[in-house]
């Protein structure tokens, strides 16, 4: 999961609105509350039974909430419900808010709680239309819709272009938020008009109660939030959508009217930098590149003058986004060299940040990719064949370079690319890295279809068939430049074939990965899967008795134990590899493999005995072929005898330490078989040691 944690302070007229932006691939953001809960709960009253007169119900409920005892809190609220509907809804709101803000809870549970947050706020606005707190409820609902519910979709579009789902979801959210804010703005204006007509005594009463101050603080917040909501709403719209241009022009006009937003020093307003960012982004989308450039430069200048480390961290998200938008602005204005220089500045800014900044590295890489693609288009228009070939490769190799440095993040990168490509894209028109992303995305979609309730296997198979088609087309056209991508394509092809039931084809592809691409990060996993597939099929007679199948099975085992000998997987499977060789009467090879089984293996002692047995069978087979090769026969006999003595010593030591009857019987059985094996070898004519054979049997 790509996560970029950024914090921002939005402040107007001395009132700070904090929000936590959590940019993710599908994870809902976390937002720090505006202070609504403390404001409304302080005014909540309860009906308390006389026996509970000494209990402060609010404090008790607050304690349950703080300790995460949500079930007890819900039971308490049922037993002792608040006095009014508004009070009950406020408790519902705070309970849902607390659950939503708990990062340790599952995403699904938090998402459901966010829905309850919004539902409670909507009901509050409805059931208490004249409550002075309705203004707070409305702006909190709008803010939560934008910065919590809408943020993932906005982030996806802003940084990666997004897909149709992102655009649809964001527009649904921003539409409600815009309606709320416009109505709220009109209500505040009406309230100002009403207050202006009040007698002085009534005005002073309102002012003394803090109501006028609340309205004064709220009005600029609504204006500021409305600006951002307009931008959020314009971003997912097509360039040709007239609403987009109208909204962007509305932002530009309001920025001219709200001069203080852009001119009041950031040290005082705490939002000057964010205002410059919004202005720059707005003018970029309006294709006013010179104005956009000017606002971005002012943003960076403001940031350079901030001496407070905490304040600088609070606007880091604006600085980063400013770098991204600056590159895009130069790209839109076809200043490709300047865009490249701005990108270098962005990368330098990333290096100054602490912690894992992979999300930002990915964004920078995608920007560089866009620069190369723009230059490629220019080269095509100018018939620059040399430039076309070079830029075509650079356009996707920059992503490959990122993956080389972060192979464990491959799925995340491909998910981002696949969102923009889509399942229905013409794979022949995609570059190699996009084809890899499409292949991975189709496999993921197939998994989703298979795990759906009820499963849609027809759809899953369709995704898998297209994945196989993409992979085979890629491999058919692979060249020197795409060699680094081949192992992952072959691996994913094997996965698709396996899921489609083409097990032998799948296993062969897995072996191909492990045998030819040992440095690929999933090579060990590939050969392990191949061996497991063959082992499962070997349980069926039609495969076990098929010489061609057995050859493939043994080859897969050989690749595992020889190419990945140090792995625990190889150490485990070596015993079974030796068994295969033994069954195929490759006694010499089997003896060697049995002797290499790790001492901690569950079948270690048995493998030592089987090594002895295979040496005996190998000696007998060699004598049948070369009865007069006394030197080799003697050498082989000595090796057998040494192995046999080693086994007897090992088994005897374990027998002396054994206490369980079953284990004692097992060890005695192995020792007996070893003795008989020795006697059988000793009576071979070419060995000719009948006396030793008799003593062995007699002792036995």
């Amino acid at each position: 999961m790509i996560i970029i944690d950024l914090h921002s302070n939005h402040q107007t007229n001395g009132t700070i609105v904090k929000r936590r932006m959590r940019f993710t691939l599908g994870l809902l953001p976390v937002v720090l509350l505006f202070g609504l809960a403390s404001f409304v709960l302080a005014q909540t009253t309860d009906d308390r039974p006389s026996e509970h007169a000494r209990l402060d119900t609010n404090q008790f409920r607050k304690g349950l909430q703080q300790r995460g005892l949500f079930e007890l809190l819900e039971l308490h609220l049922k037993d002792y419900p608040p006095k009014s509907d508004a009070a009950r809804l406020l408790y519902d709101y705070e309970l849902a808010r607390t659950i939503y803000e708990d990062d340790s809870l599952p995403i699904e549970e938090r998402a459901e709680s966010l829905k309850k947050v919004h539902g409670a706020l909507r009901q509050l606005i409805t059931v208490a239309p004249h409550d002075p707190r309705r203004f707070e409820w409305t702006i909190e609902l709008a803010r939560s819709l934008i910065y919590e519910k809408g943020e993932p979709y906005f982030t996806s579009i802003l940084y990666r272009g997004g897909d149709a789902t992102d655009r649809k979801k964001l527009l649904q959210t921003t539409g409600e938020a815009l309606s709320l804010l416009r109505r709220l703005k009109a209500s505040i204006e009406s309230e100002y008009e009403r207050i202006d007509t009040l007698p002085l005594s009534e005005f002073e009463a309102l002012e003394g109660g803090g109501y006028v101050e609340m309205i004064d603080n709220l009005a600029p917040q609504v204006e500021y939030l409305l600006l951002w909501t307009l931008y959020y709403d314009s971003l997912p719209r097509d360039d040709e959508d007239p609403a987009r241009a109208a909204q962007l022009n509305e932002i530009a006009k309001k920025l001219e009217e709200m001069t203080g937003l852009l001119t009041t020093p950031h040290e005082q307003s705490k939002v000057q930098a964010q205002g410059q960012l919004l202005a720059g982004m707005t003018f970029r989308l309006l294709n006013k590149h010179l104005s956009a450039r000017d606002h971005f430069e002012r943003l960076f200048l403001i940031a350079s003058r901030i001496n407070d480390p905490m304040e600088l961290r609070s606007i880091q998200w604006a600085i980063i986004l400013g770098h991204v938008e600056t590159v895009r602005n130069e790209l839109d204005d076809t200043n490709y060299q300047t865009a490249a220089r701005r990108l270098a500045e962005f990368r330098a800014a990333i290096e100054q940040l602490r912690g894992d900044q992979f999300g930002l590295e990915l964004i920078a890489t995608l920007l560089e990719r866009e620069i190369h693609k723009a230059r490629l288009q220019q080269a095509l228009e100018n018939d620059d064949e040399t430039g076309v070939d070079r830029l075509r490769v650079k356009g996707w190799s920059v992503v490959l370079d990122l993956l080389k440095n972060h192979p464990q993040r491959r799925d995340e990168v491909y998910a981002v690319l696949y969102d923009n490509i889509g399942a229905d894209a013409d794979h022949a028109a995609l570059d190699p890295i996009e084809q890899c992303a499409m292949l991975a995305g189709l496999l993921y979609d197939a998994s989703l279809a298979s795990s759906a309730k009820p499963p849609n296997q027809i759809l899953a198979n369709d995704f898998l068939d297209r994945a196989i088609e993409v992979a085979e087309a890629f491999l058919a056209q692979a060249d020197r430049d795409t060699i680094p991508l081949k192992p992952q394509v072959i691996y994913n092809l094997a996965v698709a074939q396996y899921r489609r039931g083409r097990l032998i084809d799948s296993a062969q592809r897995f072996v191909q990965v492990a045998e030819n691409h040992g440095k690929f990060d999933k090579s060990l996993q590939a050969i392990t899967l191949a061996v497991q597939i063959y082992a499962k099929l070997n349980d069926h007679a039609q495969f076990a008795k098929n010489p061609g199948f057995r050859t493939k099975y043994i080859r897969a085992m050989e690749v595992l134990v020889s190419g990945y000998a140090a792995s625990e997987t190889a150490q485990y499977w070596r015993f079974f590899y030796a068994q295969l060789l033994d069954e195929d009467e490759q006694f010499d090879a089997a003896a060697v493999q049995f002797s290499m089984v790790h001492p901690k293996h569950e079948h270690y002692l048995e493998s030592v005995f089987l090594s002895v047995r295979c040496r005996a069978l190998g000696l007998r087979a060699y004598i049948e072929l070369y009865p007069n090769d006394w030197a080799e026969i003697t050498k082989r006999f000595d090796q057998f005898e040494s192995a046999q003595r080693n086994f007897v010593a090992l088994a005897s030591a374990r027998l002396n330490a054994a206490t369980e009857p079953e284990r004692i019987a097992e060890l005695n059985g192995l020792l007996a078989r070893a003795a008989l094996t020795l006697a059988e070898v000793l009576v071979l004519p070419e060995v000719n040691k009948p006396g030793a054979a008799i003593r062995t049997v007699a002792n036995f």
Side-chain angles (χ1 to χ4, degrees):
M1 178 172 53
I2 299 171
I3 299 178
I4 307 170
D5 280 323
L6 305 176
H7 299 263
S8 67
N9 288 341
H10 284 217
Q11 174 172 318
T12 55
N13 287 9
T15 301
I16 298 178
V17 181
K18 296 182 178 178
R19 68 187 179 92
R20 172 179 170 87
M21 300 172 65
R22 187 172 178 86
F23 294 166
T24 73
L25 295 180
L27 180 63
L28 290 170
V30 180
V31 172
L32 300 179
L33 270 182
F34 169 62
L36 170 65
S38 60
F39 175 78
V40 295
L41 289 178
Q43 304 182 45
T44 303
T45 59
D46 298 278
D47 288 330
R48 294 182 291 180
S50 58
E51 64 269 21
H52 287 267
R54 67 181 182 275
L55 174 66
D56 186 328
T57 308
N58 282 339
Q59 289 298 322
F60 177 67
R61 292 170 176 170
K62 194 73 174 178
L64 292 176
Q65 177 183 320
Q66 291 173 345
R67 289 164 177 78
L69 302 174
F70 304 130
E71 293 182 0
L72 287 177
L73 178 56
E74 288 179 314
L75 288 173
H76 188 267
L77 288 171
K78 288 180 180 178
D79 291 339
Y80 306 105
K83 181 178 179 180
S84 66
D85 289 340
R88 176 185 57 78
L89 287 168
L90 285 171
Y91 274 115
D92 291 344
Y93 162 80
E94 175 142 311
L95 176 60
R97 165 62 67 188
T98 302
I99 295 173
Y100 170 71
E101 290 182 346
D102 188 345
D103 288 336
S104 66
L105 296 176
I107 293 175
E108 296 79 10
E109 184 175 348
R110 295 179 60 225
E112 189 61 32
S113 293
L114 186 62
K115 292 180 181 178
K116 293 179 180 179
V117 166
H118 297 158
L121 289 172
R122 291 187 186 103
Q123 290 183 67
L124 277 167
I125 297 168
T126 301
V127 301
H130 304 297
D131 193 305
R133 296 169 290 178
R134 68 189 184 281
F135 299 122
E136 296 278 0
W137 300 333
T138 303
I139 195 172
E140 177 56 29
L141 176 56
R143 182 181 294 109
S144 181
L145 288 170
I146 294 299
Y147 294 150
E148 292 178 325
K149 182 180 179 181
E151 194 69 47
Y153 312 119
F154 175 77
T155 300
S156 177
I157 298 168
L158 184 65
Y159 284 99
R160 306 187 306 273
D163 58 19
T165 300
D166 292 326
R167 297 173 185 279
K168 179 181 178 181
K169 293 287 188 181
L170 183 56
L171 281 174
Q172 290 173 347
T173 303
T174 55
E176 181 181 1
L178 270 177
S179 177
L180 287 167
L181 290 171
R182 292 193 188 281
R183 290 202 306 269
L184 179 57
K185 180 182 176 182
S187 297
I188 291 175
E189 291 173 352
S190 297
E191 193 66 5
Y192 272 131
E193 294 175 359
R194 185 185 72 83
I195 292 174
D196 287 343
T197 63
L198 291 176
L200 181 60
S201 59
E202 292 185 28
F203 174 82
E204 290 176 345
L206 286 178
E207 187 177 37
Y211 183 75
V212 175
E213 182 182 5
M214 182 196 74
I215 295 293
D216 286 341
N217 285 333
L218 197 61
Q221 293 180 47
V222 172
E223 290 283 5
Y224 184 68
L225 184 57
L226 182 57
L227 289 177
W228 280 100
T229 305
L230 284 168
Y231 186 83
Y232 272 54
D233 192 71
S234 66
L235 191 65
R237 298 181 183 275
D238 295 332
D239 293 340
E240 298 78 17
D241 188 338
R244 186 187 213 201
Q247 290 172 333
L248 293 172
N249 282 309
E250 182 178 352
I251 297 172
K253 181 180 179 181
K254 287 181 178 295
L255 287 172
E256 291 180 2
E257 297 171 354
M258 299 168 63
T259 55
L261 178 61
L262 299 180
T263 59
T264 303
H266 189 87
E267 291 76 9
Q268 298 176 28
S269 72
K270 305 300 182 185
V271 293
Q272 186 189 24
Q274 297 93 312
Q276 296 291 352
L277 171 65
L278 178 59
M281 294 194 300
T282 299
F283 285 121
R284 181 181 81 82
L285 294 183
L286 288 171
N287 295 318
K288 297 180 179 180
H289 305 297
L290 184 61
S291 296
R293 189 177 300 118
D294 180 56
H295 285 291
F296 292 136
E297 290 298 332
R298 291 182 187 180
L299 163 63
F300 299 138
L301 181 60
I302 292 168
S304 69
R305 293 174 175 173
I306 296 177
N307 297 319
D308 183 356
M310 292 188 64
E311 179 60 29
L312 191 59
R313 282 196 295 272
S314 74
I315 66 163
Q316 193 63 57
W317 69 274
I319 299 171
I320 291 298
L321 186 50
H323 280 294
V324 173
E325 287 289 293
T326 297
V327 177
R328 287 176 174 159
N329 189 56
E330 300 301 336
L331 262 174
D332 294 345
D333 205 19
T334 67
N335 297 323
Y336 302 138
Q337 289 185 342
T338 305
R341 187 172 69 252
R342 293 296 193 182
L343 178 61
E345 294 172 358
F346 178 31
R347 290 190 184 279
I350 296 173
E351 292 177 1
Q352 300 300 315
L353 302 176
R354 297 179 180 179
D356 180 10
Q357 300 300 333
F358 176 75
L360 295 181
E361 290 182 51
L362 174 57
I363 292 169
T365 299
L366 295 178
L367 285 173
E368 183 177 356
R369 182 169 176 262
E370 289 303 313
I371 293 173
H372 292 315
K373 290 175 71 174
R375 284 177 165 169
L376 171 61
Q377 186 60 38
Q378 188 179 63
L380 287 169
E381 294 172 357
N382 296 334
D383 294 326
D384 180 5
E385 295 183 3
T386 303
V388 166
D389 293 338
R390 177 177 58 84
L391 290 168
R392 181 173 282 123
V393 174
K394 286 181 72 73
W396 60 266
S397 62
V398 293
V399 181
L400 178 60
D401 292 338
L402 178 70
L403 293 177
K404 288 179 180 178
N405 295 327
H406 302 278
Q408 74 281 7
R409 314 298 282 266
R410 184 186 300 113
D411 291 342
E412 299 173 25
V413 176
Y414 285 166
V416 171
L417 295 176
Y418 184 63
D419 281 346
N420 291 327
I421 295 168
D424 299 323
D426 177 11
H427 64 83
L430 302 177
D431 65 38
I433 208 77
E434 289 173 328
Q435 290 175 345
C436 291
M438 185 176 186
L439 173 56
L442 288 169
L443 289 177
Y444 180 75
D445 285 345
S447 297
L448 289 181
S450 296
S451 59
K453 296 181 180 180
N456 189 338
Q457 199 55 48
I458 295 176
L459 179 60
N461 289 343
D462 182 50
F463 284 130
L464 292 173
D465 289 341
R466 286 154 64 192
I468 292 171
E469 179 185 359
V470 172
E472 290 179 340
F474 178 98
L475 295 174
Q477 299 175 1
D479 56 23
R480 183 180 61 183
D481 293 323
T482 58
I483 286 176
L485 296 172
K486 284 186 66 175
Q488 55 185 277
V489 172
I490 299 172
Y491 181 92
N492 281 339
L493 172 58
V495 171
Q497 290 173 326
Y498 178 82
R499 293 181 184 174
R500 282 298 274 136
R502 294 161 54 176
L503 303 185
I504 297 295
D505 291 341
S506 172
Q508 287 182 281
R509 288 295 189 180
F510 280 133
V511 172
Q512 184 182 355
V513 171
E515 192 170 16
N516 300 330
H517 305 280
K519 294 183 178 180
F520 177 53
D521 60 297
K522 291 187 177 181
S523 290
L524 175 58
Q525 184 177 350
I527 192 60
T528 302
L529 290 170
V531 167
Q532 290 173 341
I533 292 171
Y534 282 127
K536 184 177 180 179
L537 294 176
N538 193 56
D539 292 337
H540 301 280
Q542 68 267 32
F543 290 105
K545 295 180 180 180
N546 185 315
F549 170 83
R550 296 281 292 186
T551 299
K552 293 183 177 70
Y553 186 12
I554 290 174
R555 178 56 186 161
M557 284 282 206
E558 182 182 356
V559 171
L560 173 59
V561 301
S562 62
Y564 304 84
S567 68
E568 292 184 5
T569 305
Q571 292 172 9
Y572 172 78
W573 282 98
R574 188 182 294 277
F575 174 80
F576 304 101
Y577 173 46
Q579 278 190 318
L580 278 180
L581 296 173
D582 185 4
E583 292 170 4
D584 276 22
E585 298 185 355
Q586 299 182 44
F587 300 123
D588 291 342
V592 171
Q593 293 300 323
F594 277 128
S595 68
M596 294 173 66
V597 171
H598 197 278
K600 292 185 179 180
H601 196 285
E602 59 182 332
H603 299 302
Y604 172 65
L605 186 62
E606 183 182 358
S607 71
V608 177
F609 166 73
L610 291 173
S611 177
V612 172
R613 174 181 165 278
C614 284
R615 289 187 186 279
L617 293 172
L619 173 60
R620 177 176 294 177
Y622 190 84
I623 290 174
E624 291 178 0
L625 292 174
Y626 310 103
N628 299 319
D629 189 353
W630 299 109
E632 181 64 20
I633 291 173
T634 301
K635 174 185 173 183
R636 284 171 173 262
F637 173 76
D638 291 343
Q639 291 173 340
F640 159 77
E641 194 173 35
S642 175
Q644 201 271 348
R645 284 198 301 270
N646 176 61
F647 168 75
V648 171
L650 178 64
S652 298
R654 296 197 176 185
L655 178 62
N656 292 334
T659 57
E660 298 180 0
E662 291 183 0
R663 180 60 173 164
I664 293 173
E666 178 186 359
L667 292 169
N668 276 323
L670 288 175
L671 285 167
R673 292 173 64 189
L676 289 175
T677 300
L678 174 60
E680 290 172 353
V681 171
L682 291 173
V683 298
L684 291 173
E686 289 76 9
V687 177
N688 194 26
K689 295 183 178 182
I694 292 173
R695 286 192 296 275
T696 298
V697 176
N699 291 336
F700 167 68

